[in-house]
């Protein structure tokens, strides 16, 4: 019965040998509970997602066993690749907008584990046996419900790691073959892409604990010469947070006037430029104010991939300052573009969508 928190993964640098491998999907992790006419979608935190994806509820009733609990990912595909921005738009308080988006940007569910089937709980069943049961349970399943591809071949997993990013996927997940299902425990392994980029540090936010740096605001220049906000770097030791305040003090501006992101407080401005502090359903009442600094410092950061080629999908990791680089040289052109790969090839979807 819901809520059940999903089993989690910890990051490792390389694909470990001798395991069960799957692609790492870039969507909303979800536990599906189906009992006859009832379907519930539980989020990673245990909160329900059901009302936001009515089209998936209908599809799951038609396509999965009468009584089952599935672990998987809710995703949205556009142009042959995953689109996380379109997915976030689905979390909206207005029912009318939810239903409109369900038609305009319908979601899919990719199943990769089975927690219960009929009257049997499967948490203590080894992964290889759960996978066999999952494959039988979803034999012949059709879009928008999919069975996640899986392999035990390390070379195949490495090829997926190299190719699937072009379809918007996030890397590879490795699971021990005898792994029991352990909710909310990091017992799987995730291998993600990591690249570096030189970015302009154009501001910072204070940490919730006090007047030390919580996160650095990062920018890249586009082909029009405008500095676009592309994300943040936030993982610092407390000592480093205090040092950063002192280090950036000479660049601190009294206000944002004259700063490339001076219009950040104008909601309309966010429609035409990437600026920090954009209000969203995720930020709620969170303080989005920030301290502007002259955009003269360049930092090297590590990132996994870009969302729609515009911003870092996850928080970037600070590596070092780059005093040898000029801010103007920090452009989108430096970013590596993964080779495109059609998502339909991964899911085995035919041209008719089945």
């Amino acid at each position: 019965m819901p809520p059940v928190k999903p089993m989690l993964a910890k990051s490792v640098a390389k694909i470990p040998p001798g395991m069960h491998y799957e692609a790492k999907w870039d969507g909303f992790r979800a536990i599906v509970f189906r009992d006859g006419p009832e379907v519930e979608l539980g989020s990673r935190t245990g909160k329900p997602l059901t009302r936001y994806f009515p089209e998936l509820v209908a599809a799951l009733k038609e396509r999965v066993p009468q009584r089952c609990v599935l672990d998987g990912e809710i995703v949205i595909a556009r142009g042959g690749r995953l689109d996380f921005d379109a997915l976030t738009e689905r979390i909206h308080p207005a029912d009318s907008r939810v239903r409109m988006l369900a038609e305009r940007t319908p979601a899919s569910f990719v199943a990769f584990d089975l927690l219960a089937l009929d009257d049997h709980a499967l948490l203590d069943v080894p992964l290889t046996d759960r996978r066999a049961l999952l494959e039988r349970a979803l034999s012949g399943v059709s879009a928008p419900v999919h069975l996640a591809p899986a392999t035990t071949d390390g070379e195949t997993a490495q090829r997926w790691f190299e190719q699937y990013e072009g379809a918007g996927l996030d890397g590879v997940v490795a699971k021990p073959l005898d792994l029991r299902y352990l909710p909310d425990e990091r017992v799987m392994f995730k291998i993600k892409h990591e690249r570096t980029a030189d970015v302009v540090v154009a501001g910072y936010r204070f940490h919730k604990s006090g007047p030390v740096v919580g996160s650095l605001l990062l920018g890249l220049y586009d082909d029009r010469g405008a500095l676009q906000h592309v994300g943040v770097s936030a993982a610092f030791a407390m000592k480093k947070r205090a040092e950063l305040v002192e280090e950036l003090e000479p660049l601190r501006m009294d206000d944002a006037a004259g700063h490339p992101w001076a219009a950040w407080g104008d909601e309309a401005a966010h429609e035409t430029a990437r600026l920090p502090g954009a209000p969203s359903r995720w930020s709620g009442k969170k303080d989005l104010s920030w301290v502007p600094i002259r955009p003269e410092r360049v930092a090297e950061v590590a990132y996994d991939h870009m969302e729609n080629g515009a911003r870092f999908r996850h928080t970037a990791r600070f590596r070092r300052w780059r005093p040898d680089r000029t801010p103007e040289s920090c452009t989108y052109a430096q970013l590596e573009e993964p080779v495109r790969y059609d998502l339909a090839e991964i899911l085995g979807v035919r041209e008719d969508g089945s």
Side-chain angles (χ1 to χ4, degrees), residues 125-159:
V125 174
L127 172 65
T128 49
D129 295 336
R130 293 202 310 276
R131 176 70 191 192
L133 289 169
L134 176 65
E135 290 177 356
R136 287 200 292 271
L138 297 186
S139 175
V141 75
S142 60
V145 181
H146 305 274
L147 173 65
T151 184
T152 55
D153 180 66
E155 292 184 3
T156 299
Q158 183 63 43
R159 187 173 70 251

Side-chain angles (χ1 to χ4, degrees), residues 112-184:
F112 44 69
D113 212 333
L114 182 64
L115 281 64
L117 183 63
D118 297 327
D119 293 330
H120 305 288
L122 304 175
L123 299 183
D124 291 328
V125 174
L127 172 65
T128 49
D129 295 336
R130 293 202 310 276
R131 176 70 191 192
L133 289 169
L134 176 65
E135 290 177 356
R136 287 200 292 271
L138 297 186
S139 175
V141 75
S142 60
V145 181
H146 305 274
L147 173 65
T151 184
T152 55
D153 180 66
E155 292 184 3
T156 299
Q158 183 63 43
R159 187 173 70 251
W160 288 355
F161 182 76
E162 295 166 358
Q163 292 182 338
Y164 283 7
E165 186 187 15
L169 278 74
D170 216 10
V172 167
V173 173
K175 306 175 182 179
L177 298 174
D178 60 352
L179 183 65
R180 271 63 175 172
Y181 197 94
L182 303 172
D184 207 30

Side-chain angles (χ1 to χ4, degrees), residues 32 38-39 41 43 49 65 69 71 74-75 105 137 141 164 170 175 197 208 212 218 241-242 266 311 319 329-330 335:
V32 170
E38 298 180 77
V39 172
L41 307 178
S43 72
L49 292 169
V69 180
D71 186 5
I74 298 173
V75 299
T105 56
V141 75
Y164 283 7
D170 216 10
K175 306 175 182 179
K208 60 184 179 181
V212 296
L218 313 176
R241 295 184 189 278
D266 180 0
R311 61 178 173 84
R319 290 292 181 256
S329 69
C330 299
L335 303 179

